[in-house]
Amino acid sequence: MSEVHLGMKSRERIFRFIQPVVAILFGLAIGLLITLYAGENPWHVLKILANSAFGSVENIGMTLFYATPLIFTGLSVAIGFHAGLFNIGAEGQLAFGALAAAAVGILYPNVPGPLAPVLATLAAFAAGAVWGYIPGWLRARRGAHEVINTIMLNFVAAGLTSWITLYLLKSTESQNPETRTIAPAYLISHFAFFGDTPFNPSFLLALVAAFALWVLLWKTVLGYEMRAVGQNELAARAAGIDSAKMRIIALTLAGGLAGFVGVGEVLGHSHKFEIGFSPGYGFMGIAVALLGRNRPLGIIGAAILFGALHKGSLDLDMETEKVTRDLSLILQALIILAVSADGFWERVRKAVL
Amino acid sequence: MFKIQSLAKISSFFAPRFISGVLALSLSTLVPAQAFAELKVAFVFDKGGKDDKSFNSSAYRGAMEAKDKLKASIKYVEATDETAYESLLKSFAKKDYDLIIGIGVAQADAIRKAAAQFPQKHFVIVDGEVKAPNVRSLLFEEQEGSYLVGAIAALSSKTGKVGFIGGMDIPLIRRFEMGYAAGAKKMNPKVQVISNYIGVTGDAWNNPPKGKELALSQYSSGVDVIFSAAGASGSGVFDAAEEQKKFTIGVDSNQNWIKPGHVLTSMLKKIDEAVFVTCKEASEGRFSAGVQRFGLASKGIDYAVDQYNEKLLSSETRKKVEALKADIISGKVKVPDYYKK
Amino acid sequence: MTTQPLAVELRGLAKRFGSVIANAGIQLEVRAGSIHGVIGENGAGKSTAMKMLYGMYAPDEGEILIQGKPLRFKSPSDAIHAGIGMVHQHFMLAGPHTALDNIILGAEPSHLGVLDRAGARTKLQALCKQYGLPLDLDAPVETLSVGVQQRIEILKLLYRNAQILILDEPTAVLTPQETEELLGNLKKLKAEGKTILIITHKLKEVLSFTDEVTVFRGGKVSGRVKTSETNAQQLANLMVGREVVLKVQEVESAAGVKHTFGKCLLRVERLNLKQKGHSHLKDVSFEVRAGEVVGIAGVEGNGQTELIEAILHPSDPRCLTSGKVRVLDQDVTDRKTFEIRALGVGVIPQDRHHQGLLLERSVKENFLLGLHRRRQFAKHGFILQKALDQSVEKALENYDVRPRRADIAVGGLSGGNQQKLIIAREFECGPQVLIAAQPTRGVDVGAIEFIHRRILKARSEGVATLLISSELDEILTLSDRILVIYEGQIVGDHLRGQADENQIGLKMGGGHHE
């Protein structure tokens, strides 16, 4: 009977792997039907989307450039989920991370070359981590719910980063609300292979972060304790795990991961902090984590998918008459809906197995 | 918050269908244009999108005018994020567009890079300055118009208190504020100018409730005229003016009609005209690079008088303001500029 | 009795899940107006059969006859329509809402589209009266005791005109008094002509509640008996398929094992817990010596939970207001939980789902819970997978956890096997002190025997055991010393054999003042 069991299990595994893929295709199909309704040829739309996202090395570069911050925020949200916390504050955390990276680059222009980007990267992590620590501490020690606190801190972060940008680090040359440019030693050059795109090594940092998170969560005692708290706080407490501490650590790390967004955006791309540079990466991270089932590998895949949709939607706006950038949002929404329709897939699973 | 934002975006996905349906231009069916027979113009709107009722909308009107009057072929996209500007501008440059127009100062860097890479193409930046042999920069002297409406506000105020509500706290809006305050002080040195900003993020452009809240609090402190330079948030200020039976001043487009009897005037910033003129010159083969400043002299900046507000402005006020306008044009009166402070 | 027609008849029901046979050739006959016991160990297939009867599963083979008519249910709503109702082991109630709203939820009466609460109230009041089930219809459900909540579940079925009531493990969550009460209520229902099926594995209750019993084993029916013609031993043997020893310690004593107690390993001194002016623990003091089992008897909710919390988390002011906890001659009052457990304190929590297990996690990860910082399983902050794998494999074998799979989610194990896993885990570290709370709650006879043997084995090895149970039988069987707790106070202290069940029962009910 155990052999039969294993057979069941492997089928179960295959289903688990296939389900998101099917769900994505399903969501995509509905989205394309909507374009048909809007008066476009869905096949044409799909071709533009695919070509725009993956059609050339430049396009792949842009897709991966967009995916990079989503990996960071996806991981940030995921580590929260594993510890039983809903981190809606990645948007504020990444703003602080990016500002810190820019601030270091502006205020310490004489740091030697190889050290400079490392310093700015650490600053980005630390600043994000501080912005994660606060709601973590409030939750653990004061019982204030992190959902409310992280949302509120997003507003505080928006205000504070804007104030610092406009009053302390203001660019004198630009009319844009942005800081001065960071010193040349801090710049991370983009990948030449991908042509004229801002795609840069922060993507590799994202992959390393994903791997590190996997090791942390599934191979270490600390990760085990965090996940135990996330799954059943009472049982964890009875087992002698300090759930308050785990929560603080989880949200601090979550903040730091979100803060890493600044590395690619500031050091690798814009070379300064621009107010409102993020088109909601922190919130999209929630969807990425959901789609990636909170697994690092899944998050990388989901982030690339979202990056592709984001990139594809731009060209869709350009190449078609009736479809705008908003289609990408609809597609994202449909895919999230399709993937998260657990009840529906449970039925399918029962029918298939 | 994310959800609300996306919902708003989704709803705007359907609205423009009507407009583009009217356009009914299918790129795939277009025959390549003969030289200058048909001008092909591409617009890259900034994150606010063409329906922001502010400078993007104004530029969009100019684009539509060019389409109607010049029979130009128009294509536009709305950027999703700051990184997108550059790739969108370059994508257009790779195609057969004659003129590529970026709206908003945020695109300055991107235009500079794209223009350097495609020197044979003509670019235009609205509200920003890019020095390149193939880029025209359309700049507006917002402080001049603000100065005039500031004067109108001070002349119309009975309490000696006038208000200013800015959208996002950025230099451009500070420029409005500075001109407005100076204009008011010019007419009445004792006037008190109260300023508030909606916020420091992009949301500040689209937060009518906050606009209304700030306006109500200004009105209750004795202010009786408010000039709002706050994009879509301005509609909240208009509501407050109607509710409190006080006055307000519109911005960018002629907004006198929105709450007749409560809108003293509107400061006009004619991006649409500037865009149209640029298209026209290009279609006649007269495109020139360099900075073009639009101020009171060139009528790119003005204040609006029409059937909705002519009764609100006394002839004495009109006379004083017209004199001031002439003095500014002649250089007799110097208007302070936040950019040059 | 025999003249009564059959209310329920299952003919040759079979159900497979993939290749696992859950039910095969199930025959079940329940006479109208009788109480019928359905017993069997966890995983014996009784729940599957009942779920088919309730329309939750469709049978692969066989027929279901209700009142003599063959019916096919596509969903529970079909079954409800046919007059069948089920009270689940875990109640389906919305805590903040009133009893009335909970009962009408899903079958809301309406008049012209408006919710007709008044009509429902009248109907319910009549039902309460008819069946003698008193209930405050306006009390929020979460403020009511478990026994009353169960009453609400039963009323829910009566409100929907159920003729056949299925009760899944109805006594698992009840105190002895509430159990008594339930028995009385069921008899009233029976007198009103209702047919009742009780799924259980508590033999004592089967014997006192039912008219007839059907025993399940291994997905089949292993026996059908009239209650009046059977006894506990026979039923246990039918369930397990071998001779079962029902009272463990008596066997050990009979073998003449000499037993002595060692030094004191757990001592609590004047424990007090006050919250919002209410005293949950009042000057609780006792000690447990090596090789001794101290049983805490008491009706649930008299401070047992708080006592365990106070011993495990003495430094948390929410758990202990004043007093001292000493473990292995060390004052641990200011220590963290982790340090206390590291001294060698094993805990079988009273509610294994909430306090003992990570239900969605694998058997392996659950085995590690609490052991995860031991040198044996962790080095430099990393978990030693190989050592863990080996230990889990060994533990599953030694403690007979079935199936012997380390990678499946614990939530999929039966209650008995979950409990065995907890016991495996807690014994793994070789505890010197064992706190066993409700160690056999919701587990079957076979597992009870196993768990009792383990506790006594630990006793003979010199472990100091604090046993907390609401099953007085269990306390009497295992304990060397029995303390009675009532309203947070120790009100009785008896050596083994010095007090009988009645005396202790009286003290449990607060009768010590007389």
Side-chain angles (χ1 to χ4, degrees), chain A residues 4 219 221 224-225 227 231-232 237-238, chain C residues 19 341 357 360 365 372-373 381 383:
Chain A
V4 186
K219 298 292 161 198
V221 173
Y224 175 82
E225 292 196 343
R227 289 189 301 121
Q231 156 92 122
N232 185 342
R237 180 165 173 265
Chain C
S19 53
R341 298 209 52 173
L357 294 170
E360 289 165 33
E365 290 208 339
H372 57 274
R373 285 213 216 169
I383 290 166

mmCIF file with all atom_site columns, all heavy atoms in Angstrom, chain A residues 4 219 221 224-225 227 231-232 237-238, chain C residues 19 341 357 360 365 372-373 381 383:
data_model
loop_
_atom_site.group_PDB
_atom_site.id
_atom_site.type_symbol
_atom_site.label_atom_id
_atom_site.label_alt_id
_atom_site.label_comp_id
_atom_site.label_asym_id
_atom_site.label_entity_id
_atom_site.label_seq_id
_atom_site.pdbx_PDB_ins_code
_atom_site.Cartn_x
_atom_site.Cartn_y
_atom_site.Cartn_z
_atom_site.occupancy
_atom_site.B_iso_or_equiv
_atom_site.pdbx_formal_charge
_atom_site.auth_seq_id
_atom_site.auth_comp_id
_atom_site.auth_asym_id
_atom_site.auth_atom_id
_atom_site.pdbx_PDB_model_num
ATOM 1   N N   . VAL A 1 4   ? 1.545  2.433  -3.430 1.00 0.00 ? 4   VAL A N   1
ATOM 2   C CA  . VAL A 1 4   ? 0.388  3.129  -3.993 1.00 0.00 ? 4   VAL A CA  1
ATOM 3   C C   . VAL A 1 4   ? 0.339  4.546  -3.455 1.00 0.00 ? 4   VAL A C   1
ATOM 4   O O   . VAL A 1 4   ? 0.117  5.504  -4.164 1.00 0.00 ? 4   VAL A O   1
ATOM 5   C CB  . VAL A 1 4   ? -0.910 2.378  -3.635 1.00 0.00 ? 4   VAL A CB  1
ATOM 6   C CG1 . VAL A 1 4   ? -2.077 3.024  -4.348 1.00 0.00 ? 4   VAL A CG1 1
ATOM 7   C CG2 . VAL A 1 4   ? -0.790 0.918  -4.006 1.00 0.00 ? 4   VAL A CG2 1
ATOM 8   N N   . LYS A 1 219 ? 16.224 25.591 6.830  1.00 0.00 ? 219 LYS A N   1
ATOM 9   C CA  . LYS A 1 219 ? 17.418 24.858 7.264  1.00 0.00 ? 219 LYS A CA  1
ATOM 10  C C   . LYS A 1 219 ? 17.918 25.291 8.631  1.00 0.00 ? 219 LYS A C   1
ATOM 11  O O   . LYS A 1 219 ? 18.772 24.628 9.191  1.00 0.00 ? 219 LYS A O   1
ATOM 12  C CB  . LYS A 1 219 ? 18.555 25.054 6.233  1.00 0.00 ? 219 LYS A CB  1
ATOM 13  C CG  . LYS A 1 219 ? 18.235 24.529 4.842  1.00 0.00 ? 219 LYS A CG  1
ATOM 14  C CD  . LYS A 1 219 ? 18.131 23.014 4.822  1.00 0.00 ? 219 LYS A CD  1
ATOM 15  C CE  . LYS A 1 219 ? 17.380 22.542 3.591  1.00 0.00 ? 219 LYS A CE  1
ATOM 16  N NZ  . LYS A 1 219 ? 16.890 21.178 3.717  1.00 0.00 ? 219 LYS A NZ  1
ATOM 17  N N   . VAL A 1 221 ? 17.515 26.824 12.713 1.00 0.00 ? 221 VAL A N   1
ATOM 18  C CA  . VAL A 1 221 ? 16.673 26.804 13.903 1.00 0.00 ? 221 VAL A CA  1
ATOM 19  C C   . VAL A 1 221 ? 15.818 28.061 13.965 1.00 0.00 ? 221 VAL A C   1
ATOM 20  O O   . VAL A 1 221 ? 14.626 28.010 14.257 1.00 0.00 ? 221 VAL A O   1
ATOM 21  C CB  . VAL A 1 221 ? 17.564 26.692 15.162 1.00 0.00 ? 221 VAL A CB  1
ATOM 22  C CG1 . VAL A 1 221 ? 16.731 26.853 16.420 1.00 0.00 ? 221 VAL A CG1 1
ATOM 23  C CG2 . VAL A 1 221 ? 18.291 25.357 15.170 1.00 0.00 ? 221 VAL A CG2 1
ATOM 24  N N   . TYR A 1 224 ? 12.994 27.815 11.607 1.00 0.00 ? 224 TYR A N   1
ATOM 25  C CA  . TYR A 1 224 ? 12.029 26.843 12.107 1.00 0.00 ? 224 TYR A CA  1
ATOM 26  C C   . TYR A 1 224 ? 11.156 27.489 13.177 1.00 0.00 ? 224 TYR A C   1
ATOM 27  O O   . TYR A 1 224 ? 9.931  27.323 13.195 1.00 0.00 ? 224 TYR A O   1
ATOM 28  C CB  . TYR A 1 224 ? 12.777 25.635 12.666 1.00 0.00 ? 224 TYR A CB  1
ATOM 29  C CG  . TYR A 1 224 ? 11.874 24.624 13.306 1.00 0.00 ? 224 TYR A CG  1
ATOM 30  C CD1 . TYR A 1 224 ? 11.204 23.683 12.530 1.00 0.00 ? 224 TYR A CD1 1
ATOM 31  C CD2 . TYR A 1 224 ? 11.649 24.620 14.680 1.00 0.00 ? 224 TYR A CD2 1
ATOM 32  C CE1 . TYR A 1 224 ? 10.353 22.767 13.104 1.00 0.00 ? 224 TYR A CE1 1
ATOM 33  C CE2 . TYR A 1 224 ? 10.797 23.713 15.258 1.00 0.00 ? 224 TYR A CE2 1
ATOM 34  C CZ  . TYR A 1 224 ? 10.150 22.789 14.469 1.00 0.00 ? 224 TYR A CZ  1
ATOM 35  O OH  . TYR A 1 224 ? 9.288  21.897 15.038 1.00 0.00 ? 224 TYR A OH  1
ATOM 36  N N   . GLU A 1 225 ? 11.808 28.235 14.066 1.00 0.00 ? 225 GLU A N   1
ATOM 37  C CA  . GLU A 1 225 ? 11.048 28.869 15.150 1.00 0.00 ? 225 GLU A CA  1
ATOM 38  C C   . GLU A 1 225 ? 10.063 29.898 14.586 1.00 0.00 ? 225 GLU A C   1
ATOM 39  O O   . GLU A 1 225 ? 8.920  29.982 15.023 1.00 0.00 ? 225 GLU A O   1
ATOM 40  C CB  . GLU A 1 225 ? 11.998 29.531 16.157 1.00 0.00 ? 225 GLU A CB  1
ATOM 41  C CG  . GLU A 1 225 ? 12.826 28.519 16.925 1.00 0.00 ? 225 GLU A CG  1
ATOM 42  C CD  . GLU A 1 225 ? 13.475 29.094 18.178 1.00 0.00 ? 225 GLU A CD  1
ATOM 43  O OE1 . GLU A 1 225 ? 13.553 30.321 18.286 1.00 0.00 ? 225 GLU A OE1 1
ATOM 44  O OE2 . GLU A 1 225 ? 13.877 28.296 19.042 1.00 0.00 ? 225 GLU A OE2 1
ATOM 45  N N   . ARG A 1 227 ? 8.672  29.932 11.614 1.00 0.00 ? 227 ARG A N   1
ATOM 46  C CA  . ARG A 1 227 ? 7.547  29.267 10.941 1.00 0.00 ? 227 ARG A CA  1
ATOM 47  C C   . ARG A 1 227 ? 6.616  28.615 11.956 1.00 0.00 ? 227 ARG A C   1
ATOM 48  O O   . ARG A 1 227 ? 5.403  28.556 11.756 1.00 0.00 ? 227 ARG A O   1
ATOM 49  C CB  . ARG A 1 227 ? 8.066  28.241 9.940  1.00 0.00 ? 227 ARG A CB  1
ATOM 50  C CG  . ARG A 1 227 ? 8.716  28.900 8.720  1.00 0.00 ? 227 ARG A CG  1
ATOM 51  C CD  . ARG A 1 227 ? 9.043  27.891 7.635  1.00 0.00 ? 227 ARG A CD  1
ATOM 52  N NE  . ARG A 1 227 ? 9.946  26.877 8.122  1.00 0.00 ? 227 ARG A NE  1
ATOM 53  C CZ  . ARG A 1 227 ? 9.671  25.578 8.141  1.00 0.00 ? 227 ARG A CZ  1
ATOM 54  N NH1 . ARG A 1 227 ? 8.522  25.139 7.677  1.00 0.00 ? 227 ARG A NH1 1
ATOM 55  N NH2 . ARG A 1 227 ? 10.537 24.717 8.623  1.00 0.00 ? 227 ARG A NH2 1
ATOM 56  N N   . GLN A 1 231 ? 2.679  29.288 12.257 1.00 0.00 ? 231 GLN A N   1
ATOM 57  C CA  . GLN A 1 231 ? 1.662  28.261 12.084 1.00 0.00 ? 231 GLN A CA  1
ATOM 58  C C   . GLN A 1 231 ? 0.787  28.111 13.323 1.00 0.00 ? 231 GLN A C   1
ATOM 59  O O   . GLN A 1 231 ? -0.420 27.949 13.217 1.00 0.00 ? 231 GLN A O   1
ATOM 60  C CB  . GLN A 1 231 ? 2.363  26.937 11.742 1.00 0.00 ? 231 GLN A CB  1
ATOM 61  C CG  . GLN A 1 231 ? 1.574  25.718 12.085 1.00 0.00 ? 231 GLN A CG  1
ATOM 62  C CD  . GLN A 1 231 ? 0.726  25.236 10.943 1.00 0.00 ? 231 GLN A CD  1
ATOM 63  O OE1 . GLN A 1 231 ? 0.875  24.125 10.522 1.00 0.00 ? 231 GLN A OE1 1
ATOM 64  N NE2 . GLN A 1 231 ? -0.129 26.032 10.397 1.00 0.00 ? 231 GLN A NE2 1
ATOM 65  N N   . ASN A 1 232 ? 1.386  28.162 14.496 1.00 0.00 ? 232 ASN A N   1
ATOM 66  C CA  . ASN A 1 232 ? 0.602  27.968 15.708 1.00 0.00 ? 232 ASN A CA  1
ATOM 67  C C   . ASN A 1 232 ? 1.348  28.575 16.883 1.00 0.00 ? 232 ASN A C   1
ATOM 68  O O   . ASN A 1 232 ? 2.238  27.967 17.457 1.00 0.00 ? 232 ASN A O   1
ATOM 69  C CB  . ASN A 1 232 ? 0.374  26.470 15.942 1.00 0.00 ? 232 ASN A CB  1
ATOM 70  C CG  . ASN A 1 232 ? -0.540 26.215 17.125 1.00 0.00 ? 232 ASN A CG  1
ATOM 71  O OD1 . ASN A 1 232 ? -0.748 27.081 17.971 1.00 0.00 ? 232 ASN A OD1 1
ATOM 72  N ND2 . ASN A 1 232 ? -1.091 25.029 17.197 1.00 0.00 ? 232 ASN A ND2 1
ATOM 73  N N   . ARG A 1 237 ? 4.749  28.566 21.666 1.00 0.00 ? 237 ARG A N   1
ATOM 74  C CA  . ARG A 1 237 ? 4.997  29.103 23.004 1.00 0.00 ? 237 ARG A CA  1
ATOM 75  C C   . ARG A 1 237 ? 5.206  27.963 23.992 1.00 0.00 ? 237 ARG A C   1
ATOM 76  O O   . ARG A 1 237 ? 6.122  27.993 24.813 1.00 0.00 ? 237 ARG A O   1
ATOM 77  C CB  . ARG A 1 237 ? 3.786  29.942 23.410 1.00 0.00 ? 237 ARG A CB  1
ATOM 78  C CG  . ARG A 1 237 ? 3.879  30.578 24.761 1.00 0.00 ? 237 ARG A CG  1
ATOM 79  C CD  . ARG A 1 237 ? 2.817  31.651 24.885 1.00 0.00 ? 237 ARG A CD  1
ATOM 80  N NE  . ARG A 1 237 ? 2.754  32.181 26.235 1.00 0.00 ? 237 ARG A NE  1
ATOM 81  C CZ  . ARG A 1 237 ? 1.899  31.742 27.149 1.00 0.00 ? 237 ARG A CZ  1
ATOM 82  N NH1 . ARG A 1 237 ? 1.042  30.783 26.850 1.00 0.00 ? 237 ARG A NH1 1
ATOM 83  N NH2 . ARG A 1 237 ? 1.899  32.276 28.354 1.00 0.00 ? 237 ARG A NH2 1
ATOM 84  N N   . ALA A 1 238 ? 4.345  26.946 23.868 1.00 0.00 ? 238 ALA A N   1
ATOM 85  C CA  . ALA A 1 238 ? 4.480  25.805 24.769 1.00 0.00 ? 238 ALA A CA  1
ATOM 86  C C   . ALA A 1 238 ? 5.819  25.119 24.567 1.00 0.00 ? 238 ALA A C   1
ATOM 87  O O   . ALA A 1 238 ? 6.365  24.509 25.480 1.00 0.00 ? 238 ALA A O   1
ATOM 88  C CB  . ALA A 1 238 ? 3.332  24.823 24.544 1.00 0.00 ? 238 ALA A CB  1
ATOM 89  N N   . SER C 2 19  ? -6.522 4.750  -4.042 1.00 0.00 ? 19  SER C N   1
ATOM 90  C CA  . SER C 2 19  ? -6.412 3.303  -3.884 1.00 0.00 ? 19  SER C CA  1
ATOM 91  C C   . SER C 2 19  ? -6.639 2.883  -2.438 1.00 0.00 ? 19  SER C C   1
ATOM 92  O O   . SER C 2 19  ? -6.538 1.716  -2.110 1.00 0.00 ? 19  SER C O   1
ATOM 93  C CB  . SER C 2 19  ? -5.029 2.868  -4.345 1.00 0.00 ? 19  SER C CB  1
ATOM 94  O OG  . SER C 2 19  ? -4.070 3.636  -3.680 1.00 0.00 ? 19  SER C OG  1
ATOM 95  N N   . ARG C 2 341 ? 12.070 24.104 30.018 1.00 0.00 ? 341 ARG C N   1
ATOM 96  C CA  . ARG C 2 341 ? 11.903 22.842 29.304 1.00 0.00 ? 341 ARG C CA  1
ATOM 97  C C   . ARG C 2 341 ? 13.239 22.166 29.090 1.00 0.00 ? 341 ARG C C   1
ATOM 98  O O   . ARG C 2 341 ? 13.325 20.936 29.071 1.00 0.00 ? 341 ARG C O   1
ATOM 99  C CB  . ARG C 2 341 ? 11.193 23.104 27.976 1.00 0.00 ? 341 ARG C CB  1
ATOM 100 C CG  . ARG C 2 341 ? 9.799  23.685 28.212 1.00 0.00 ? 341 ARG C CG  1
ATOM 101 C CD  . ARG C 2 341 ? 8.852  23.343 27.137 1.00 0.00 ? 341 ARG C CD  1
ATOM 102 N NE  . ARG C 2 341 ? 8.831  21.917 26.874 1.00 0.00 ? 341 ARG C NE  1
ATOM 103 C CZ  . ARG C 2 341 ? 7.973  21.338 26.063 1.00 0.00 ? 341 ARG C CZ  1
ATOM 104 N NH1 . ARG C 2 341 ? 7.082  22.028 25.444 1.00 0.00 ? 341 ARG C NH1 1
ATOM 105 N NH2 . ARG C 2 341 ? 8.021  20.042 25.861 1.00 0.00 ? 341 ARG C NH2 1
ATOM 106 N N   . LEU C 2 357 ? 0.595  20.977 18.339 1.00 0.00 ? 357 LEU C N   1
ATOM 107 C CA  . LEU C 2 357 ? 0.983  20.570 16.992 1.00 0.00 ? 357 LEU C CA  1
ATOM 108 C C   . LEU C 2 357 ? 0.901  21.725 16.000 1.00 0.00 ? 357 LEU C C   1
ATOM 109 O O   . LEU C 2 357 ? 0.169  22.686 16.200 1.00 0.00 ? 357 LEU C O   1
ATOM 110 C CB  . LEU C 2 357 ? 0.052  19.448 16.495 1.00 0.00 ? 357 LEU C CB  1
ATOM 111 C CG  . LEU C 2 357 ? 0.142  18.115 17.249 1.00 0.00 ? 357 LEU C CG  1
ATOM 112 C CD1 . LEU C 2 357 ? -0.984 17.204 16.812 1.00 0.00 ? 357 LEU C CD1 1
ATOM 113 C CD2 . LEU C 2 357 ? 1.486  17.454 17.042 1.00 0.00 ? 357 LEU C CD2 1
ATOM 114 N N   . GLU C 2 360 ? -0.512 21.805 9.859  1.00 0.00 ? 360 GLU C N   1
ATOM 115 C CA  . GLU C 2 360 ? -0.238 21.764 8.419  1.00 0.00 ? 360 GLU C CA  1
ATOM 116 C C   . GLU C 2 360 ? 1.186  21.324 8.123  1.00 0.00 ? 360 GLU C C   1
ATOM 117 O O   . GLU C 2 360 ? 1.570  21.183 6.979  1.00 0.00 ? 360 GLU C O   1
ATOM 118 C CB  . GLU C 2 360 ? -0.483 23.150 7.800  1.00 0.00 ? 360 GLU C CB  1
ATOM 119 C CG  . GLU C 2 360 ? -1.953 23.517 7.754  1.00 0.00 ? 360 GLU C CG  1
ATOM 120 C CD  . GLU C 2 360 ? -2.160 24.996 7.496  1.00 0.00 ? 360 GLU C CD  1
ATOM 121 O OE1 . GLU C 2 360 ? -1.327 25.583 6.778  1.00 0.00 ? 360 GLU C OE1 1
ATOM 122 O OE2 . GLU C 2 360 ? -3.136 25.557 8.007  1.00 0.00 ? 360 GLU C OE2 1
ATOM 123 N N   . GLU C 2 365 ? 8.561  17.832 11.219 1.00 0.00 ? 365 GLU C N   1
ATOM 124 C CA  . GLU C 2 365 ? 8.688  19.156 11.834 1.00 0.00 ? 365 GLU C CA  1
ATOM 125 C C   . GLU C 2 365 ? 7.982  19.215 13.179 1.00 0.00 ? 365 GLU C C   1
ATOM 126 O O   . GLU C 2 365 ? 8.383  19.962 14.062 1.00 0.00 ? 365 GLU C O   1
ATOM 127 C CB  . GLU C 2 365 ? 8.116  20.238 10.899 1.00 0.00 ? 365 GLU C CB  1
ATOM 128 C CG  . GLU C 2 365 ? 8.981  20.453 9.684  1.00 0.00 ? 365 GLU C CG  1
ATOM 129 C CD  . GLU C 2 365 ? 8.876  21.866 9.137  1.00 0.00 ? 365 GLU C CD  1
ATOM 130 O OE1 . GLU C 2 365 ? 7.873  22.542 9.425  1.00 0.00 ? 365 GLU C OE1 1
ATOM 131 O OE2 . GLU C 2 365 ? 9.799  22.277 8.432  1.00 0.00 ? 365 GLU C OE2 1
ATOM 132 N N   . HIS C 2 372 ? 14.051 21.462 18.991 1.00 0.00 ? 372 HIS C N   1
ATOM 133 C CA  . HIS C 2 372 ? 14.804 21.999 17.862 1.00 0.00 ? 372 HIS C CA  1
ATOM 134 C C   . HIS C 2 372 ? 16.081 22.698 18.253 1.00 0.00 ? 372 HIS C C   1
ATOM 135 O O   . HIS C 2 372 ? 16.876 23.032 17.396 1.00 0.00 ? 372 HIS C O   1
ATOM 136 C CB  . HIS C 2 372 ? 13.903 22.966 17.080 1.00 0.00 ? 372 HIS C CB  1
ATOM 137 C CG  . HIS C 2 372 ? 13.362 24.076 17.911 1.00 0.00 ? 372 HIS C CG  1
ATOM 138 N ND1 . HIS C 2 372 ? 12.214 23.951 18.646 1.00 0.00 ? 372 HIS C ND1 1
ATOM 139 C CD2 . HIS C 2 372 ? 13.840 25.316 18.155 1.00 0.00 ? 372 HIS C CD2 1
ATOM 140 C CE1 . HIS C 2 372 ? 11.989 25.083 19.296 1.00 0.00 ? 372 HIS C CE1 1
ATOM 141 N NE2 . HIS C 2 372 ? 12.971 25.924 19.014 1.00 0.00 ? 372 HIS C NE2 1
ATOM 142 N N   . ARG C 2 373 ? 16.297 22.923 19.540 1.00 0.00 ? 373 ARG C N   1
ATOM 143 C CA  . ARG C 2 373 ? 17.557 23.574 19.898 1.00 0.00 ? 373 ARG C CA  1
ATOM 144 C C   . ARG C 2 373 ? 18.508 22.603 20.581 1.00 0.00 ? 373 ARG C C   1
ATOM 145 O O   . ARG C 2 373 ? 19.580 22.981 21.007 1.00 0.00 ? 373 ARG C O   1
ATOM 146 C CB  . ARG C 2 373 ? 17.273 24.742 20.836 1.00 0.00 ? 373 ARG C CB  1
ATOM 147 C CG  . ARG C 2 373 ? 16.693 25.922 20.107 1.00 0.00 ? 373 ARG C CG  1
ATOM 148 C CD  . ARG C 2 373 ? 17.146 27.191 20.753 1.00 0.00 ? 373 ARG C CD  1
ATOM 149 N NE  . ARG C 2 373 ? 16.091 28.178 20.703 1.00 0.00 ? 373 ARG C NE  1
ATOM 150 C CZ  . ARG C 2 373 ? 16.140 29.315 21.390 1.00 0.00 ? 373 ARG C CZ  1
ATOM 151 N NH1 . ARG C 2 373 ? 17.154 29.572 22.169 1.00 0.00 ? 373 ARG C NH1 1
ATOM 152 N NH2 . ARG C 2 373 ? 15.159 30.174 21.285 1.00 0.00 ? 373 ARG C NH2 1
ATOM 153 N N   . GLY C 2 381 ? 23.217 26.753 14.734 1.00 0.00 ? 381 GLY C N   1
ATOM 154 C CA  . GLY C 2 381 ? 21.997 27.377 14.235 1.00 0.00 ? 381 GLY C CA  1
ATOM 155 C C   . GLY C 2 381 ? 21.336 26.646 13.075 1.00 0.00 ? 381 GLY C C   1
ATOM 156 O O   . GLY C 2 381 ? 20.273 27.039 12.617 1.00 0.00 ? 381 GLY C O   1
ATOM 157 N N   . ILE C 2 383 ? 19.701 23.134 11.381 1.00 0.00 ? 383 ILE C N   1
ATOM 158 C CA  . ILE C 2 383 ? 19.054 21.900 11.803 1.00 0.00 ? 383 ILE C CA  1
ATOM 159 C C   . ILE C 2 383 ? 19.768 20.709 11.162 1.00 0.00 ? 383 ILE C C   1
ATOM 160 O O   . ILE C 2 383 ? 20.073 20.736 9.963  1.00 0.00 ? 383 ILE C O   1
ATOM 161 C CB  . ILE C 2 383 ? 17.560 21.931 11.416 1.00 0.00 ? 383 ILE C CB  1
ATOM 162 C CG1 . ILE C 2 383 ? 16.846 22.956 12.292 1.00 0.00 ? 383 ILE C CG1 1
ATOM 163 C CG2 . ILE C 2 383 ? 16.926 20.571 11.561 1.00 0.00 ? 383 ILE C CG2 1
ATOM 164 C CD1 . ILE C 2 383 ? 15.477 23.330 11.812 1.00 0.00 ? 383 ILE C CD1 1
#
